[in-house]
Amino acid sequence: MASLRALTAVFLGAFGAATVATGYTTYTATSGAIVRLVDERVEAVSRVLLSEARPGDAATILQGIDAFARRRDSGDIGFELRDARGRRLGGNVIVGRALPIGTFDLREGDGIAGLTAGRALVRDAGGGLRLVTIAETEPIDGLDAARLRIYLIGFGAMVLIVMVGTGAFGLLVRRRIAEVRATAEAIIDGDMARRVPVDPRGGVFAAQAVAFNRMLDRIAALLESVRNVSSDIAHDLRTPLARLHARLTRLAGQASSAEIADELDEALAQCDELMAMFAAILRIAEVEGERRRAAFAAVDLSAIVTEVAEAMVPIATEGDRRLIVEGGGEVPLRGDGQLLSQAAFNLVENALNHTPPGTTVWIGAARAGTRAILSVRDDGPGIAPADRAAALRRFGRLDASRHQPGHGLGLPLIDAVARLHRGTLTLADGAPGLIATLDLPAS
Amino acid sequence: MDLLLVEDDADYADTLRSELTALDHRVVVAPTGPAALVEVERDRFDAVILDRMLPHLDGASVVRRLRDNGHRLPVLMLSALGQSDQKIDGLESGADDYVVKPTPAAELDARIKALVRARAWTDDGAETLRAGDITISPGQFRAWRDGRPLDLAKLEFKLLTELARHAGSFLTRAMLLERVWGYDFEPATNIVDAQVRMLRRKLTADGADDPIVTKRGIGYMLRG
């Protein structure tokens, strides 16, 4: 079935149709039964009346009618006797027209005084005489309204109970599904600690929630061990690197010639680069570990932007590029000031490192509704749309930048910082140049 | 200087001891917290280098015991991981500085010297600082060289103040990043070097000699 709603609609439709069919069948069956009972009585009464007279003996039949009419239980039965030419000979009712032999429905239009609904039986009484026996069904017809009411109340209550039940059931299912969906979305947003609430009274939904939560525990454990592997490797490699660095530093201090000193400086710079790469791996692991979220505090994105710009202006100036701060005014949000500084720093660093001299770089913080936006744009060559995804990948360096310093972990780190703050990092065409935007929830 | 190194990893302690000895320090190694507390009572040290992760009695508790026993000597805490909450925890326990292992011995050397010197002066934040012919008034946010006012940007002023506070000692890039920029990360771009170059240009604008000494692979020092 396509959906829960369609399934419910089909179920309610089928239930309604079955209810209506049952009601209709019961109604017609009881109506038929009443008509049959009246017909049987009319038949019996007229048979008895005729059996007391010889065929064709109109006078005896009329006496029988009189005698019958005087009886206390005969008020609902009427008779009329007509001769072969259709003339009325007598009886206690007047039927407006001559009827052929047979059984008929009577309505108000038949002009019988005091009768609105009834049955008539016309019998041959011998010698061309016709005896019309009629009985009212009116008092019984009055029951129809009551019967209808009973049907409506009875079946209506059933329909109502089923609809309310179906609605409540649907609501329950929908709420459980909403809980699972909310959890899944929180996980996607990076809140790996989120779990589906489990109903303590048990049941299938509780069992499903427990299974779902166990799956999440397993995923979290796997993620944690993957994270630990990368940070353990990075950490263990730092010790020998630190020793190498110390030795190179000592050698550089004792270099016997300027050439050797330069070579050692180059080696030290490469060593620093490696240390920076491991620091970035460890930093990403720290950010993805989410412990820093506990230390979130009120920060002003504008102040962070201004500080980062101040720190980077000397670098920009030395590299013959311009760094301009845009906007102003407080942009408050809850976050980690250090990480946001580092993210802003890396964005400006990227813009300065991957553009030619003469480029202008703008950095700004702004509030847009409920969002705090940090953007860094430049009027440099930009990144082709096809390459932007690669730029966000870990160690994903673009061919054009391979000869430049850097380790390809800058953007993934910014991306991790954005996710920690439940925000996003996007790279877009600045026409010209590139716009990198950190879109974060404002406070 | 006389240093007490509290480290349970024997290999790492050995390496660090030989490196620090090469930098003219006398180093005593204690493998546990209780052993460290005994050493401090028995001998006089200029500073303690303390691993945060120790068996039985962790580094933070060792610092608390030291402070409770009335020892004010500088403590530099070492940690395997640079998680910010651990760092805050370490400093709150009474440690004076906190660095992430593995730290080059030269970095430790610079930090310990800065700590020991910092013990020598009282800092009310507003007193006038002097280093050679440089005078700084942190309260007024102004600085002079040889009586001539210096026109410094905010970061240049903070950098000069920090160097002057530790005049005669080397400050490493990591130390300056923490103290001047307030960053707990080390950017790939060398903003410290760039800022020092800017400051140097302003200090030597009228042909005066360069008061900032650079030591390759270590950092910077303002002549005292």
Side-chain angles (χ1 to χ4, degrees), chain A residues 160-189:
Chain A
L160 203 68
I161 288 166
V162 166
M163 277 172 70
V164 168
T166 314
F169 182 76
L171 206 69
L172 193 76
V173 171
R174 217 168 297 144
R175 212 177 60 205
R176 300 292 172 192
I177 289 170
E179 281 169 1
V180 173
R181 195 181 50 213
T183 305
E185 273 165 7
I187 299 273
I188 291 164
D189 282 348

Side-chain angles (χ1 to χ4, degrees), chain A residues 186-194 219-231 279-294 296 336 339 342 392-395 409-422, chain B residues 83-84:
Chain A
I187 299 273
I188 291 164
D189 282 348
D191 181 4
M192 288 304 294
R194 184 73 170 266
I219 291 171
L222 287 172
L223 271 179
E224 184 66 22
S225 67
V226 167
R227 204 175 285 144
N228 285 345
V229 165
S230 71
S231 61
I281 294 171
L282 287 168
R283 187 72 155 181
I284 291 174
E286 186 190 358
V287 172
E288 288 183 341
E290 312 217 322
R291 272 204 290 273
R292 289 185 78 119
R293 199 177 268 157
F296 271 15
D336 185 312
L339 292 179
Q342 193 172 5
L392 286 170
R393 236 186 357 254
R394 246 171 243 200
F395 302 107
L409 289 167
L411 285 174
L413 175 59
I414 303 167
D415 197 32
V417 171
R419 273 183 280 118
L420 181 76
H421 288 81
R422 306 197 197 290
Chain B
Q83 308 282 9
S84 54

Side-chain angles (χ1 to χ4, degrees), chain A residues 235 238-239 242-243 245-246 249-250 252-253 261 265 268 272 275-276 282-283 286 291-292 295 304 307-308 310-315 317-318 336 338-339 341-342 345-346 349 353 407, chain B residues 11-12 15 19 22 79-86 88 100-106 154-155 173 181-191 193-195 197-198 201 216-218:
Chain A
H235 193 261
R238 274 163 51 117
T239 306
R243 287 195 193 127
H245 194 275
T249 306
R250 217 162 39 241
D265 273 350
L268 269 172
D272 283 341
M275 298 272 258
L282 287 168
R283 187 72 155 181
E286 186 190 358
R291 272 204 290 273
R292 289 185 78 119
I304 286 172
E307 277 168 22
V308 167
E310 267 173 21
M312 288 302 268
V313 159
I315 301 284
T317 310
E318 286 181 357
D336 185 312
Q338 287 287 342
L339 292 179
S341 290
Q342 193 172 5
F345 200 99
N346 285 5
E349 211 168 44
N353 285 343
H407 42 58
Chain B
D11 282 349
Y12 187 67
T15 310
E19 284 175 358
S79 162
L81 286 172
Q83 308 282 9
S84 54
D85 49 346
Q86 291 184 5
I88 292 162
V100 179
K101 284 202 289 190
T103 317
K154 199 172 108 193
L155 278 171
R173 284 183 194 138
W181 282 264
Y183 289 161
D184 73 349
F185 56 93
E186 219 166 315
T189 305
N190 207 324
I191 53 173
D193 289 6
Q195 202 69 58
R197 278 196 291 274
M198 300 279 275
R201 213 168 298 145
R216 189 184 282 113
I218 308 280

Side-chain angles (χ1 to χ4, degrees), chain B residues 61-223:
Chain B
S61 307
V62 172
V63 182
R64 278 192 206 100
R65 297 265 183 103
L66 278 178
R67 298 299 183 233
D68 288 348
N69 295 346
H71 293 285
R72 286 195 63 243
L73 78 172
V75 174
L76 192 154
M77 201 174 267
L78 294 177
S79 162
L81 286 172
Q83 308 282 9
S84 54
D85 49 346
Q86 291 184 5
K87 180 170 181 170
I88 292 162
D89 190 39
L91 293 178
E92 273 178 356
S93 70
D96 299 273
D97 201 355
Y98 189 101
V99 285
V100 179
K101 284 202 289 190
T103 317
E107 175 84 31
L108 286 178
D109 175 58
R111 283 177 185 263
I112 288 160
K113 282 178 178 156
L115 284 179
V116 171
R117 274 183 165 249
R119 279 282 190 276
W121 34 259
T122 53
D123 181 17
D124 60 7
E127 83 185 300
T128 304
L129 295 168
R130 263 174 249 280
D133 55 0
I134 293 169
T135 310
I136 302 165
S137 169
Q140 281 181 281
F141 209 73
R142 293 177 68 188
W144 300 265
R145 177 153 205 210
D146 206 8
R148 181 179 55 86
L150 295 165
D151 179 23
L152 301 176
K154 199 172 108 193
L155 278 171
E156 289 163 353
F157 183 83
K158 284 175 80 173
L159 176 61
L160 182 60
T161 307
E162 195 58 34
L163 286 170
R165 233 183 259 286
H166 297 276
S169 309
F170 277 96
L171 295 179
T172 64
R173 284 183 194 138
M175 288 164 86
L176 289 169
L177 276 171
E178 278 171 29
R179 297 164 191 204
V180 177
W181 282 264
Y183 289 161
D184 73 349
F185 56 93
E186 219 166 315
T189 305
N190 207 324
I191 53 173
V192 178
D193 289 6
Q195 202 69 58
V196 168
R197 278 196 291 274
M198 300 279 275
L199 178 62
R200 222 174 222 157
R201 213 168 298 145
K202 290 192 178 174
L203 292 175
T204 58
D206 58 354
D209 62 333
D210 185 357
I212 301 174
V213 184
T214 308
K215 199 169 182 182
R216 189 184 282 113
I218 308 280
Y220 299 98
M221 178 186 82
L222 192 64
R223 286 199 181 89

Side-chain angles (χ1 to χ4, degrees), chain A residues 77-98:
Chain A
I77 302 286
F79 299 99
E80 184 182 61
L81 192 65
R82 292 188 182 231
D83 67 11
R85 276 175 297 177
R87 276 181 317 185
R88 188 177 185 282
L89 299 175
N92 58 353
V93 292
I94 299 163
V95 181
R97 59 199 161 103

